[in-house]
């Protein structure tokens, strides 16, 4: 099965920048500990603390799908509507090798 790379773009609502930062960073370690995770990193824009990018790589689609159903991610996504301007924009790619 091909490797999966996902990129999520998030934009914090005005006044929610600190909470989004806390939440984005809190997902890094549990996501890295999941089976099939290759890498998981959250990045903040250096000039806009409301803009975030999450870059993640998974061994296969099944690992990525399990991550999407993980308790730590589903909890974070449930809190998103009050913290984000819009749902995260997600781009998912698979390796062609």
């Amino acid at each position: 099965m091909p490797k999966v790379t996902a990129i999520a773009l998030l934009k914090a609502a005005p006044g929610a920048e600190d909470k989004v930062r806390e939440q984005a960073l809190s997902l890094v370690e549990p996501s890295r500990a999941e089976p099939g995770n290759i890498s998981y990193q959250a990045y903040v824009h250096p000039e806009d603390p409301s803009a975030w990018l999450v870059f993640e790589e998974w061994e296969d689609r099944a690992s990525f799908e399990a991550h999407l159903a993980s308790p730590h991610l589903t909890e974070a996504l449930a809190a998103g509507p009050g913290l984000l301007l819009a749902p995260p924009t997600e781009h998912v790619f698979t390796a062609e090798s």
Side-chain angles (χ1 to χ4, degrees), residues 4-18:
V4 172
T5 300
I7 300 167
L9 303 173
L10 302 90
K11 185 74 169 175
E17 295 86 358
D18 289 342

Side-chain angles (χ1 to χ4, degrees), residues 34-48:
E34 290 180 54
N37 180 261
I38 298 168
S39 68
Y40 189 101
Q41 186 63 50
Y43 298 91
V44 64
H45 191 285
E47 297 172 9
D48 181 358

Side-chain angles (χ1 to χ4, degrees), residues 3 15 37 49 55 93:
K3 180 173 84 169
N37 180 261
F55 180 86
F93 301 86

